[in-house]
Amino acid sequence: MIKGLIQRFSKAGLLRNSTTLIVGTIVAQLIPILFQPLLRRMYSPEEFGTAALFVTAVGMLVALANFKYESAVVLPEKDEDAHFIIGGGVLISLLFALVIWVFIIFFEATIRQHFELKQGEVNYLFLLPLSVFFVSSYQCFNFYLIRKKAYKASARNKVYRRGSEAVVQSATGWLRYNQGLLFGSLIGDFVNFIGAFIQIKNQGFRIQKDFHQLKHILKQYWQFPIYHAFPSFLNTISLTLPVFIVHAAFGKAETGQFDLSRLVLSLPMALISTALSQVYLQHQAEKIRNKQSVASDFWSVSKALFWMSIPLALILFLFATPLFSFIFGSQWALAGKLTAVLIFGQAIKFIVSPMSSTLVALKEVRFSAIWQLLYFGAMAWLYANPGSDIFDFALRYCYIDFAAYAFYYALIYKIVQRYEKARL
């Protein structure tokens, strides 16, 4: 199935030189999945719930940490300009992490009380800014590898990150260290940061020390912090907010169950959709610079993702509950039931998310910003109205995702049509 999908993309001319990134991403994401049956027996649903809060907080803050300059790394014609963008993104990430650290110092007691954290968990709270810096900086590095079409290097970094995380979490679980999930995640982020930095150095990256030129280059891409950073932050909040909604409305154990469901549902996104989105952005940006058509790639990739999502959605809808109980243990049956409800919303997200890279390539991120604000409003409504139980919440969440992403796809299609007419 994966081979057929790659062949279909290759016919579109999109992935002839980038299948390594897809395969590497598959290997990297299969590592934590293969370790899940073991880890789910080492750690309790409550401990997974705490880890989910930590990882979700990192993902939420990373969306704002470098003001989305990482997306601009593939756009300049000269590599030197991309070097300045990377340097600016890393510097902004460092300052952002310091602000978070100061915030945690002043509001430690409030955060601990609100999320019901134990003392050992609070200690890791102070390491959260470090993870944010590692992940945000890595994203700048990774887009440079995409720019240079160094897909093999990018794929290796993903494997190193997931492999180190899984080994550390398993070892600490065997040693009965109940914060091993958090520690493993932090180590994985560090390994990813170091590995990616070494890779971009090998690809010719050089640290630029001209501060005035740095400001000049960053100003050229002012749309990204203005129209892309904060709306993207709101969108990330929207995507991660369900974890906090479940924690607040239904408890930490249910959060652990919901997190397992999200992990499995996000696997196709991690295996194909996210990697494709990065390659698709580089490919579209290159075509747009050369005033070439992008419509054929848009339709080919859309149809390929659609036909892949259908069988996966049907399988999980029909068999998720018994599969979860068999693979992860009977205590995780609730996660399977939630997966059967949420799968169709995730399926349309799997199709549409890579397509949104077209708006970045066309520098039309203000339209993405409008959609993200609307989606955030829908998630805010869900936070205020989670439903009578976790299944009611899952249904409402699925309806919102399906409607929102269908509208997003229509919006992207209209922008592509407008570009094609202007190009002629």
Side-chain angles (χ1 to χ4, degrees), residues 65-108:
N66 60 38
F67 294 174
K68 299 306 291 182
Y69 273 113
E70 85 263 14
S71 299
V73 171
V74 301
L75 301 182
E77 293 187 8
K78 297 190 297 184
D79 283 348
E80 184 180 0
D81 291 348
H83 297 174
F84 277 109
I85 294 174
I86 293 170
V90 172
L91 180 60
I92 294 169
S93 297
L94 177 61
L95 296 175
F96 187 83
L98 291 174
V99 170
I100 297 171
W101 185 68
V102 172
F103 180 86
I104 292 173
I105 290 176
F106 280 99
F107 296 98
E108 174 192 346

mmCIF file of all heavy atoms in Angstrom, residues 65-108:
data_model
loop_
_atom_site.group_PDB
_atom_site.id
_atom_site.type_symbol
_atom_site.label_atom_id
_atom_site.label_comp_id
_atom_site.label_asym_id
_atom_site.label_seq_id
_atom_site.Cartn_x
_atom_site.Cartn_y
_atom_site.Cartn_z
ATOM 1 N N ALA A 65 7.242 29.718 18.883
ATOM 2 C CA ALA A 65 8.581 29.955 19.417
ATOM 3 C C ALA A 65 9.514 30.699 18.466
ATOM 4 O O ALA A 65 10.286 31.554 18.899
ATOM 5 C CB ALA A 65 9.216 28.632 19.847
ATOM 6 N N ASN A 66 9.500 30.374 17.164
ATOM 7 C CA ASN A 66 10.408 31.087 16.245
ATOM 8 C C ASN A 66 9.647 31.985 15.266
ATOM 9 O O ASN A 66 10.176 32.358 14.228
ATOM 10 C CB ASN A 66 11.316 30.110 15.494
ATOM 11 C CG ASN A 66 10.551 29.117 14.654
ATOM 12 O OD1 ASN A 66 9.539 29.457 14.033
ATOM 13 N ND2 ASN A 66 11.021 27.882 14.594
ATOM 14 N N PHE A 67 8.403 32.318 15.619
ATOM 15 C CA PHE A 67 7.552 33.198 14.809
ATOM 16 C C PHE A 67 7.317 32.642 13.410
ATOM 17 O O PHE A 67 7.092 33.389 12.461
ATOM 18 C CB PHE A 67 8.137 34.607 14.711
ATOM 19 C CG PHE A 67 8.159 35.348 16.015
ATOM 20 C CD1 PHE A 67 8.774 36.593 16.109
ATOM 21 C CD2 PHE A 67 7.589 34.828 17.165
ATOM 22 C CE1 PHE A 67 8.808 37.300 17.304
ATOM 23 C CE2 PHE A 67 7.620 35.524 18.365
ATOM 24 C CZ PHE A 67 8.230 36.762 18.440
ATOM 25 N N LYS A 68 7.419 31.301 13.282
ATOM 26 C CA LYS A 68 7.165 30.570 12.028
ATOM 27 C C LYS A 68 8.161 30.913 10.923
ATOM 28 O O LYS A 68 7.900 30.679 9.735
ATOM 29 C CB LYS A 68 5.742 30.798 11.527
ATOM 30 C CG LYS A 68 4.671 30.336 12.494
ATOM 31 C CD LYS A 68 4.846 28.889 12.907
ATOM 32 C CE LYS A 68 4.596 27.915 11.799
ATOM 33 N NZ LYS A 68 4.729 26.499 12.266
ATOM 34 N N TYR A 69 9.329 31.405 11.299
ATOM 35 C CA TYR A 69 10.344 31.674 10.278
ATOM 36 C C TYR A 69 10.873 30.386 9.658
ATOM 37 O O TYR A 69 11.479 30.410 8.579
ATOM 38 C CB TYR A 69 11.502 32.489 10.864
ATOM 39 C CG TYR A 69 11.257 33.977 10.803
ATOM 40 C CD1 TYR A 69 11.085 34.729 11.964
ATOM 41 C CD2 TYR A 69 11.203 34.644 9.587
ATOM 42 C CE1 TYR A 69 10.853 36.091 11.914
ATOM 43 C CE2 TYR A 69 10.977 36.010 9.517
ATOM 44 C CZ TYR A 69 10.809 36.730 10.688
ATOM 45 O OH TYR A 69 10.576 38.093 10.624
ATOM 46 N N GLU A 70 10.666 29.230 10.335
ATOM 47 C CA GLU A 70 11.159 27.989 9.740
ATOM 48 C C GLU A 70 10.520 27.721 8.391
ATOM 49 O O GLU A 70 11.158 27.172 7.487
ATOM 50 C CB GLU A 70 10.925 26.800 10.690
ATOM 51 C CG GLU A 70 9.555 26.155 10.613
ATOM 52 C CD GLU A 70 8.606 26.662 11.684
ATOM 53 O OE1 GLU A 70 8.918 27.689 12.303
ATOM 54 O OE2 GLU A 70 7.563 26.025 11.896
ATOM 55 N N SER A 71 9.258 28.142 8.212
ATOM 56 C CA SER A 71 8.572 27.906 6.940
ATOM 57 C C SER A 71 9.174 28.731 5.808
ATOM 58 O O SER A 71 9.018 28.392 4.637
ATOM 59 C CB SER A 71 7.083 28.246 7.076
ATOM 60 O OG SER A 71 6.464 27.435 8.052
ATOM 61 N N ALA A 72 9.858 29.828 6.155
ATOM 62 C CA ALA A 72 10.442 30.698 5.137
ATOM 63 C C ALA A 72 11.807 30.226 4.671
ATOM 64 O O ALA A 72 12.342 30.741 3.683
ATOM 65 C CB ALA A 72 10.559 32.128 5.670
ATOM 66 N N VAL A 73 12.393 29.238 5.334
ATOM 67 C CA VAL A 73 13.753 28.802 5.007
ATOM 68 C C VAL A 73 13.847 28.290 3.572
ATOM 69 O O VAL A 73 14.874 28.459 2.909
ATOM 70 C CB VAL A 73 14.215 27.716 6.012
ATOM 71 C CG1 VAL A 73 15.520 27.086 5.558
ATOM 72 C CG2 VAL A 73 14.372 28.315 7.407
ATOM 73 N N VAL A 74 12.784 27.680 3.038
ATOM 74 C CA VAL A 74 12.839 27.103 1.685
ATOM 75 C C VAL A 74 12.595 28.140 0.601
ATOM 76 O O VAL A 74 12.741 27.828 -0.589
ATOM 77 C CB VAL A 74 11.809 25.962 1.533
ATOM 78 C CG1 VAL A 74 12.070 24.863 2.550
ATOM 79 C CG2 VAL A 74 10.380 26.482 1.657
ATOM 80 N N LEU A 75 12.244 29.365 0.947
ATOM 81 C CA LEU A 75 11.793 30.331 -0.050
ATOM 82 C C LEU A 75 12.885 31.168 -0.723
ATOM 83 O O LEU A 75 12.777 31.442 -1.916
ATOM 84 C CB LEU A 75 10.750 31.268 0.572
ATOM 85 C CG LEU A 75 9.480 30.583 1.130
ATOM 86 C CD1 LEU A 75 8.522 31.631 1.678
ATOM 87 C CD2 LEU A 75 8.805 29.741 0.050
ATOM 88 N N PRO A 76 13.954 31.632 -0.025
ATOM 89 C CA PRO A 76 14.935 32.520 -0.693
ATOM 90 C C PRO A 76 15.662 31.824 -1.843
ATOM 91 O O PRO A 76 15.852 30.608 -1.837
ATOM 92 C CB PRO A 76 15.922 32.862 0.436
ATOM 93 C CG PRO A 76 15.209 32.562 1.697
ATOM 94 C CD PRO A 76 14.296 31.429 1.388
ATOM 95 N N GLU A 77 16.069 32.616 -2.824
ATOM 96 C CA GLU A 77 16.843 32.058 -3.941
ATOM 97 C C GLU A 77 18.266 31.723 -3.504
ATOM 98 O O GLU A 77 18.843 30.738 -3.959
ATOM 99 C CB GLU A 77 16.870 33.066 -5.097
ATOM 100 C CG GLU A 77 15.508 33.286 -5.755
ATOM 101 C CD GLU A 77 15.613 34.157 -6.981
ATOM 102 O OE1 GLU A 77 16.755 34.460 -7.403
ATOM 103 O OE2 GLU A 77 14.569 34.550 -7.530
ATOM 104 N N LYS A 78 18.855 32.532 -2.606
ATOM 105 C CA LYS A 78 20.238 32.321 -2.176
ATOM 106 C C LYS A 78 20.280 31.579 -0.845
ATOM 107 O O LYS A 78 19.524 31.884 0.079
ATOM 108 C CB LYS A 78 20.959 33.672 -2.040
ATOM 109 C CG LYS A 78 21.086 34.451 -3.343
ATOM 110 C CD LYS A 78 22.005 35.648 -3.183
ATOM 111 C CE LYS A 78 21.450 36.653 -2.181
ATOM 112 N NZ LYS A 78 22.294 37.856 -2.083
ATOM 113 N N ASP A 79 21.200 30.623 -0.727
ATOM 114 C CA ASP A 79 21.371 29.873 0.518
ATOM 115 C C ASP A 79 21.788 30.779 1.668
ATOM 116 O O ASP A 79 21.411 30.543 2.820
ATOM 117 C CB ASP A 79 22.421 28.774 0.334
ATOM 118 C CG ASP A 79 21.883 27.571 -0.414
ATOM 119 O OD1 ASP A 79 20.651 27.478 -0.591
ATOM 120 O OD2 ASP A 79 22.693 26.722 -0.835
ATOM 121 N N GLU A 80 22.565 31.816 1.364
ATOM 122 C CA GLU A 80 23.022 32.714 2.419
ATOM 123 C C GLU A 80 21.842 33.376 3.132
ATOM 124 O O GLU A 80 21.853 33.547 4.351
ATOM 125 C CB GLU A 80 23.952 33.783 1.840
ATOM 126 C CG GLU A 80 24.553 34.699 2.912
ATOM 127 C CD GLU A 80 25.465 35.750 2.318
ATOM 128 O OE1 GLU A 80 25.630 35.764 1.085
ATOM 129 O OE2 GLU A 80 25.997 36.565 3.087
ATOM 130 N N ASP A 81 20.824 33.753 2.357
ATOM 131 C CA ASP A 81 19.631 34.339 2.974
ATOM 132 C C ASP A 81 18.933 33.326 3.870
ATOM 133 O O ASP A 81 18.419 33.669 4.948
ATOM 134 C CB ASP A 81 18.669 34.829 1.895
ATOM 135 C CG ASP A 81 19.206 36.037 1.140
ATOM 136 O OD1 ASP A 81 20.209 36.627 1.600
ATOM 137 O OD2 ASP A 81 18.638 36.380 0.087
ATOM 138 N N ALA A 82 18.897 32.067 3.444
ATOM 139 C CA ALA A 82 18.309 31.013 4.275
ATOM 140 C C ALA A 82 19.101 30.840 5.564
ATOM 141 O O ALA A 82 18.517 30.581 6.633
ATOM 142 C CB ALA A 82 18.266 29.697 3.501
ATOM 143 N N HIS A 83 20.435 31.011 5.507
ATOM 144 C CA HIS A 83 21.271 30.923 6.708
ATOM 145 C C HIS A 83 20.872 31.997 7.714
ATOM 146 O O HIS A 83 20.815 31.739 8.922
ATOM 147 C CB HIS A 83 22.747 31.074 6.346
ATOM 148 C CG HIS A 83 23.269 29.990 5.458
ATOM 149 N ND1 HIS A 83 24.533 30.008 4.911
ATOM 150 C CD2 HIS A 83 22.694 28.838 5.017
ATOM 151 C CE1 HIS A 83 24.722 28.927 4.172
ATOM 152 N NE2 HIS A 83 23.612 28.206 4.216
ATOM 153 N N PHE A 84 20.611 33.198 7.212
ATOM 154 C CA PHE A 84 20.187 34.285 8.107
ATOM 155 C C PHE A 84 18.834 33.969 8.745
ATOM 156 O O PHE A 84 18.610 34.245 9.923
ATOM 157 C CB PHE A 84 20.105 35.599 7.332
ATOM 158 C CG PHE A 84 21.431 36.309 7.196
ATOM 159 C CD1 PHE A 84 22.075 36.369 5.973
ATOM 160 C CD2 PHE A 84 22.017 36.909 8.295
ATOM 161 C CE1 PHE A 84 23.292 37.022 5.838
ATOM 162 C CE2 PHE A 84 23.242 37.577 8.183
ATOM 163 C CZ PHE A 84 23.875 37.626 6.944
ATOM 164 N N ILE A 85 17.928 33.409 7.968
ATOM 165 C CA ILE A 85 16.604 33.075 8.496
ATOM 166 C C ILE A 85 16.722 32.021 9.597
ATOM 167 O O ILE A 85 16.058 32.116 10.646
ATOM 168 C CB ILE A 85 15.670 32.585 7.374
ATOM 169 C CG1 ILE A 85 15.394 33.718 6.393
ATOM 170 C CG2 ILE A 85 14.354 32.061 7.954
ATOM 171 C CD1 ILE A 85 14.609 33.291 5.170
ATOM 172 N N ILE A 86 17.582 31.026 9.386
ATOM 173 C CA ILE A 86 17.794 30.001 10.413
ATOM 174 C C ILE A 86 18.357 30.630 11.684
ATOM 175 O O ILE A 86 17.875 30.362 12.796
ATOM 176 C CB ILE A 86 18.745 28.906 9.896
ATOM 177 C CG1 ILE A 86 18.075 28.127 8.767
ATOM 178 C CG2 ILE A 86 19.145 27.956 11.027
ATOM 179 C CD1 ILE A 86 19.015 27.181 8.039
ATOM 180 N N GLY A 87 19.375 31.467 11.519
ATOM 181 C CA GLY A 87 19.963 32.135 12.687
ATOM 182 C C GLY A 87 18.949 32.977 13.434
ATOM 183 O O GLY A 87 18.901 32.964 14.672
ATOM 184 N N GLY A 88 18.124 33.710 12.688
ATOM 185 C CA GLY A 88 17.091 34.514 13.327
ATOM 186 C C GLY A 88 16.070 33.652 14.048
ATOM 187 O O GLY A 88 15.644 33.972 15.169
ATOM 188 N N GLY A 89 15.670 32.541 13.424
ATOM 189 C CA GLY A 89 14.704 31.652 14.046
ATOM 190 C C GLY A 89 15.212 31.051 15.332
ATOM 191 O O GLY A 89 14.479 30.961 16.333
ATOM 192 N N VAL A 90 16.488 30.626 15.345
ATOM 193 C CA VAL A 90 17.081 30.034 16.547
ATOM 194 C C VAL A 90 17.201 31.087 17.653
ATOM 195 O O VAL A 90 16.926 30.816 18.829
ATOM 196 C CB VAL A 90 18.449 29.415 16.229
ATOM 197 C CG1 VAL A 90 19.166 28.977 17.515
ATOM 198 C CG2 VAL A 90 18.284 28.230 15.291
ATOM 199 N N LEU A 91 17.615 32.298 17.292
ATOM 200 C CA LEU A 91 17.738 33.367 18.286
ATOM 201 C C LEU A 91 16.387 33.702 18.909
ATOM 202 O O LEU A 91 16.267 33.854 20.140
ATOM 203 C CB LEU A 91 18.346 34.614 17.625
ATOM 204 C CG LEU A 91 18.535 35.838 18.534
ATOM 205 C CD1 LEU A 91 19.454 35.510 19.694
ATOM 206 C CD2 LEU A 91 19.077 37.017 17.730
ATOM 207 N N ILE A 92 15.364 33.806 18.084
ATOM 208 C CA ILE A 92 14.018 34.081 18.589
ATOM 209 C C ILE A 92 13.543 32.941 19.489
ATOM 210 O O ILE A 92 12.931 33.172 20.538
ATOM 211 C CB ILE A 92 13.038 34.303 17.420
ATOM 212 C CG1 ILE A 92 13.399 35.576 16.659
ATOM 213 C CG2 ILE A 92 11.594 34.385 17.928
ATOM 214 C CD1 ILE A 92 12.664 35.737 15.335
ATOM 215 N N SER A 93 13.863 31.706 19.111
ATOM 216 C CA SER A 93 13.482 30.546 19.918
ATOM 217 C C SER A 93 14.130 30.594 21.298
ATOM 218 O O SER A 93 13.501 30.259 22.304
ATOM 219 C CB SER A 93 13.884 29.251 19.207
ATOM 220 O OG SER A 93 13.208 29.102 17.987
ATOM 221 N N LEU A 94 15.387 30.997 21.345
ATOM 222 C CA LEU A 94 16.100 31.091 22.619
ATOM 223 C C LEU A 94 15.465 32.139 23.529
ATOM 224 O O LEU A 94 15.227 31.885 24.723
ATOM 225 C CB LEU A 94 17.569 31.419 22.368
ATOM 226 C CG LEU A 94 18.435 31.614 23.615
ATOM 227 C CD1 LEU A 94 18.467 30.337 24.450
ATOM 228 C CD2 LEU A 94 19.856 32.036 23.216
ATOM 229 N N LEU A 95 15.178 33.298 22.969
ATOM 230 C CA LEU A 95 14.548 34.362 23.764
ATOM 231 C C LEU A 95 13.156 33.931 24.235
ATOM 232 O O LEU A 95 12.759 34.196 25.373
ATOM 233 C CB LEU A 95 14.453 35.637 22.927
ATOM 234 C CG LEU A 95 15.800 36.269 22.515
ATOM 235 C CD1 LEU A 95 15.566 37.459 21.592
ATOM 236 C CD2 LEU A 95 16.578 36.700 23.747
ATOM 237 N N PHE A 96 12.427 33.250 23.374
ATOM 238 C CA PHE A 96 11.095 32.773 23.723
ATOM 239 C C PHE A 96 11.167 31.761 24.867
ATOM 240 O O PHE A 96 10.353 31.801 25.803
ATOM 241 C CB PHE A 96 10.439 32.147 22.497
ATOM 242 C CG PHE A 96 9.001 31.768 22.696
ATOM 243 C CD1 PHE A 96 7.994 32.711 22.563
ATOM 244 C CD2 PHE A 96 8.645 30.462 23.009
ATOM 245 C CE1 PHE A 96 6.666 32.364 22.738
ATOM 246 C CE2 PHE A 96 7.323 30.109 23.185
ATOM 247 C CZ PHE A 96 6.323 31.065 23.049
ATOM 248 N N ALA A 97 12.147 30.858 24.810
ATOM 249 C CA ALA A 97 12.306 29.859 25.877
ATOM 250 C C ALA A 97 12.631 30.523 27.208
ATOM 251 O O ALA A 97 12.140 30.090 28.267
ATOM 252 C CB ALA A 97 13.404 28.866 25.490
ATOM 253 N N LEU A 98 13.435 31.564 27.184
ATOM 254 C CA LEU A 98 13.759 32.289 28.418
ATOM 255 C C LEU A 98 12.520 32.956 29.014
ATOM 256 O O LEU A 98 12.327 32.962 30.232
ATOM 257 C CB LEU A 98 14.838 33.338 28.137
ATOM 258 C CG LEU A 98 16.230 32.789 27.816
ATOM 259 C CD1 LEU A 98 17.170 33.920 27.403
ATOM 260 C CD2 LEU A 98 16.796 32.026 29.011
ATOM 261 N N VAL A 99 11.660 33.490 28.155
ATOM 262 C CA VAL A 99 10.417 34.091 28.629
ATOM 263 C C VAL A 99 9.529 33.040 29.307
ATOM 264 O O VAL A 99 8.936 33.284 30.372
ATOM 265 C CB VAL A 99 9.660 34.764 27.456
ATOM 266 C CG1 VAL A 99 8.255 35.190 27.883
ATOM 267 C CG2 VAL A 99 10.438 35.971 26.950
ATOM 268 N N ILE A 100 9.436 31.853 28.701
ATOM 269 C CA ILE A 100 8.641 30.770 29.296
ATOM 270 C C ILE A 100 9.205 30.380 30.657
ATOM 271 O O ILE A 100 8.458 30.168 31.623
ATOM 272 C CB ILE A 100 8.630 29.536 28.371
ATOM 273 C CG1 ILE A 100 7.968 29.865 27.037
ATOM 274 C CG2 ILE A 100 7.886 28.374 29.036
ATOM 275 C CD1 ILE A 100 8.113 28.753 26.016
ATOM 276 N N TRP A 101 10.524 30.272 30.752
ATOM 277 C CA TRP A 101 11.177 29.896 32.004
ATOM 278 C C TRP A 101 10.848 30.891 33.108
ATOM 279 O O TRP A 101 10.515 30.508 34.234
ATOM 280 C CB TRP A 101 12.679 29.814 31.783
ATOM 281 C CG TRP A 101 13.450 29.311 32.967
ATOM 282 C CD1 TRP A 101 13.429 28.061 33.501
ATOM 283 C CD2 TRP A 101 14.361 30.076 33.758
ATOM 284 N NE1 TRP A 101 14.275 27.987 34.586
ATOM 285 C CE2 TRP A 101 14.866 29.212 34.769
ATOM 286 C CE3 TRP A 101 14.813 31.393 33.715
ATOM 287 C CZ2 TRP A 101 15.786 29.631 35.713
ATOM 288 C CZ3 TRP A 101 15.729 31.814 34.664
ATOM 289 C CH2 TRP A 101 16.210 30.938 35.649
ATOM 290 N N VAL A 102 10.924 32.192 32.802
ATOM 291 C CA VAL A 102 10.576 33.227 33.791
ATOM 292 C C VAL A 102 9.105 33.119 34.177
ATOM 293 O O VAL A 102 8.743 33.238 35.360
ATOM 294 C CB VAL A 102 10.892 34.629 33.216
ATOM 295 C CG1 VAL A 102 10.356 35.717 34.157
ATOM 296 C CG2 VAL A 102 12.393 34.797 33.015
ATOM 297 N N PHE A 103 8.244 32.874 33.194
ATOM 298 C CA PHE A 103 6.811 32.721 33.466
ATOM 299 C C PHE A 103 6.556 31.568 34.439
ATOM 300 O O PHE A 103 5.753 31.692 35.371
ATOM 301 C CB PHE A 103 6.062 32.488 32.156
ATOM 302 C CG PHE A 103 4.579 32.312 32.311
ATOM 303 C CD1 PHE A 103 3.733 33.411 32.335
ATOM 304 C CD2 PHE A 103 4.027 31.038 32.447
ATOM 305 C CE1 PHE A 103 2.366 33.252 32.496
ATOM 306 C CE2 PHE A 103 2.665 30.866 32.598
ATOM 307 C CZ PHE A 103 1.831 31.989 32.630
ATOM 308 N N ILE A 104 7.243 30.451 34.230
ATOM 309 C CA ILE A 104 7.058 29.285 35.099
ATOM 310 C C ILE A 104 7.506 29.596 36.520
ATOM 311 O O ILE A 104 6.866 29.178 37.498
ATOM 312 C CB ILE A 104 7.820 28.067 34.530
ATOM 313 C CG1 ILE A 104 7.161 27.601 33.234
ATOM 314 C CG2 ILE A 104 7.855 26.920 35.543
ATOM 315 C CD1 ILE A 104 7.947 26.523 32.513
ATOM 316 N N ILE A 105 8.604 30.324 36.667
ATOM 317 C CA ILE A 105 9.093 30.693 38.000
ATOM 318 C C ILE A 105 8.033 31.480 38.765
ATOM 319 O O ILE A 105 7.760 31.208 39.947
ATOM 320 C CB ILE A 105 10.402 31.505 37.888
ATOM 321 C CG1 ILE A 105 11.546 30.614 37.404
ATOM 322 C CG2 ILE A 105 10.746 32.152 39.229
ATOM 323 C CD1 ILE A 105 12.845 31.347 37.183
ATOM 324 N N PHE A 106 7.407 32.432 38.102
ATOM 325 C CA PHE A 106 6.442 33.297 38.780
ATOM 326 C C PHE A 106 5.098 32.605 39.028
ATOM 327 O O PHE A 106 4.399 32.934 39.989
ATOM 328 C CB PHE A 106 6.226 34.582 37.973
ATOM 329 C CG PHE A 106 7.304 35.611 38.163
ATOM 330 C CD1 PHE A 106 8.319 35.748 37.231
ATOM 331 C CD2 PHE A 106 7.309 36.425 39.281
ATOM 332 C CE1 PHE A 106 9.318 36.684 37.403
ATOM 333 C CE2 PHE A 106 8.307 37.381 39.474
ATOM 334 C CZ PHE A 106 9.316 37.502 38.536
ATOM 335 N N PHE A 107 4.737 31.656 38.171
ATOM 336 C CA PHE A 107 3.395 31.052 38.277
ATOM 337 C C PHE A 107 3.456 29.547 38.544
ATOM 338 O O PHE A 107 2.512 28.822 38.229
ATOM 339 C CB PHE A 107 2.606 31.320 36.985
ATOM 340 C CG PHE A 107 2.329 32.774 36.748
ATOM 341 C CD1 PHE A 107 3.136 33.508 35.887
ATOM 342 C CD2 PHE A 107 1.274 33.414 37.390
ATOM 343 C CE1 PHE A 107 2.891 34.852 35.666
ATOM 344 C CE2 PHE A 107 1.023 34.754 37.168
ATOM 345 C CZ PHE A 107 1.831 35.488 36.302
ATOM 346 N N GLU A 108 4.541 29.094 39.167
ATOM 347 C CA GLU A 108 4.709 27.659 39.434
ATOM 348 C C GLU A 108 3.549 27.095 40.258
ATOM 349 O O GLU A 108 2.981 26.048 39.923
ATOM 350 C CB GLU A 108 6.020 27.416 40.176
ATOM 351 C CG GLU A 108 6.198 25.968 40.608
ATOM 352 C CD GLU A 108 7.350 25.799 41.585
ATOM 353 O OE1 GLU A 108 8.167 26.732 41.734
ATOM 354 O OE2 GLU A 108 7.411 24.715 42.204
#
